[in-house]
Amino acid sequence: CGSRRGRPSDTTMQTLNDREVLVAQPIQELGSFTAPSSLEADQYRMLRHAVERLRHESGCQVFGITSAGAGDGKTVTTLNLAGAIAQSSGTRVLVVCADLHRETVTQYLGLPNFRGPGLADVIVNDGYGLDDVVRRIARFNVSILPAGNVTSRPYELLASPRFGEIVAEARRRFDYVLIDTPPVAPLADCRLLGRAVDGFIVVVAADKTPRKLLGEALALLDLSKVLGVVFNGDPQPLSPYYGYYAHHSNSVPLTRK
C-alpha cells in the first residue's frame, strides 16, 4: 500500500501493481508461514477452524488475541492464526499490532528495521487512511498494520474514537481482523479494546502462566467476549493418535469455552 511518507530506505520492498509489498522472512516459530504442512501448523488450523466457525455462525470478524502477562506467546499465536486463515485463497486477513508498548509483529516477520507509519500515526493524523499504513505480504496473503511511530501514551491512543473508526474500516475491507493486544493484567490498554473487538482469544503459556494471574486477567475482561483459550507450548501430545505421527512436538492445543 502507498505511503505519503515514501518507502522506508531500510526495509526490503518490491513494487507490485503500484502498491508496496513487504518481503518478509518469518522466524521459525511461525510454522503457518515457514512450514505450513507441518504437524505444528495443523494445530493452528484447528484454531482457524474454530475462528471460521465463529464467523459463520455468530458473525465474529474482529478478534483480539491477548494473554494474562507478557511472554506467553500471544503475538506468535496471532501471526500463526493469520497465516493459517490466509491459506484459504481469496480470504483477506489483517493483523493489527495494538501493543503500542512493544512492537513485535514486524520483528517476528523478519522486518526488524521497519520504520514506516502505522496504527499510532493513523490515529493522531486524520490525513492518514488504511491505504497509507497497511502493508501487504503477498507471498503469504496477509496484510499487517504495524504499531507505527508511537509519540503519545498508548492508553490515550487506544481510547481515542479514531481507533474505533479504524477498526470499523478494517472490518469493511477485510474478512478477518486479528488484533495483537497488550497483555491484560499489567496494562489497562487491552480493556479498552473490548469495545472494538467481537471477542478475545486468551493465550496461556503451559507451565508458565500463573493460575492467579490468569484469574485476574479473566476478571478484568468482559467474560461474554472471551471466546476461548489457547494453551500454548504444551509438550504433551493431543491424543495417542498424535504420537503416531510425531515423537516430539511443540504443539499448541486449543481449549474453547
Side-chain angles (χ1 to χ4, degrees):
C1 299
S3 168
R4 296 179 186 177
R5 295 187 182 181
R7 294 170 54 181
S9 59
D10 54 0
T11 301
T12 302
M13 290 186 176
Q14 63 185 21
T15 300
L16 181 63
N17 297 330
D18 298 323
R19 300 171 72 86
E20 290 178 337
V21 180
L22 291 176
V23 180
Q25 296 180 327
I27 62 172
Q28 186 176 359
E29 286 79 2
L30 299 183
S32 292
F33 295 91
T34 61
S37 298
S38 66
L39 290 171
E40 287 80 4
D42 277 339
Q43 303 311 304
Y44 290 105
R45 278 188 281 274
M46 292 174 60
L47 180 56
R48 164 191 165 178
H49 174 74
V51 166
E52 289 177 334
R53 188 174 66 183
L54 283 168
R55 173 158 168 71
H56 295 150
E57 295 179 357
S58 306
C60 293
Q61 184 180 356
V62 180
F63 298 85
I65 292 81
T66 192
S67 60
D72 290 344
K74 64 179 180 60
T75 304
V76 168
T77 300
T78 302
L79 289 170
N80 272 306
L81 174 57
I85 295 173
Q87 290 169 13
S88 176
S89 178
T91 301
R92 300 164 299 173
V93 184
L94 175 66
V95 175
V96 178
C97 180
D99 189 346
L100 302 181
H101 295 269
R102 184 183 179 205
E103 164 69 276
T104 54
V105 168
T106 54
Q107 294 180 28
Y108 289 153
L109 287 172
L111 304 163
N113 297 319
F114 183 84
R115 294 293 181 269
L119 177 61
D121 302 270
V122 77
I123 290 176
V124 301
N125 187 343
D126 290 340
Y128 280 107
L130 280 187
D131 284 337
D132 298 299
V133 293
V134 169
R135 297 291 181 267
R136 178 168 170 75
I137 306 174
R139 175 186 173 191
F140 300 115
N141 189 35
V142 170
S143 296
I144 65 169
L145 174 50
N149 303 297
V150 182
T151 58
S152 302
R153 288 175 294 180
Y155 183 90
E156 301 303 327
L157 291 170
L158 297 177
S160 168
R162 176 70 172 149
F163 176 75
E165 295 172 3
I166 295 163
V167 174
E169 183 180 353
R171 187 189 293 271
R172 292 191 296 269
R173 296 179 57 175
F174 292 88
D175 300 304
Y176 294 88
V177 180
L178 308 182
I179 302 180
D180 180 38
T181 82
V184 179
L187 300 167
D189 303 17
C190 181
R191 288 160 247 172
L192 292 170
L193 304 181
R195 299 173 298 180
V197 305
D198 296 323
F200 287 102
I201 297 170
V202 181
V203 178
V204 177
D207 301 321
K208 178 181 178 182
T209 304
R211 183 183 296 269
K212 180 180 179 181
L213 185 65
L214 176 60
E216 292 174 356
L218 292 175
L220 292 170
L221 294 172
D222 179 354
L223 286 181
S224 67
K225 285 200 169 186
V226 176
L227 302 173
V229 174
V230 172
F231 198 43
N232 181 38
D234 185 3
Q236 299 300 317
L238 293 178
S239 70
Y241 300 102
Y242 190 83
Y244 177 83
Y245 294 99
H247 296 292
H248 175 74
S249 171
N250 293 319
S251 59
V252 187
L254 170 65
T255 302
R256 295 189 62 252
K257 293 183 67 177

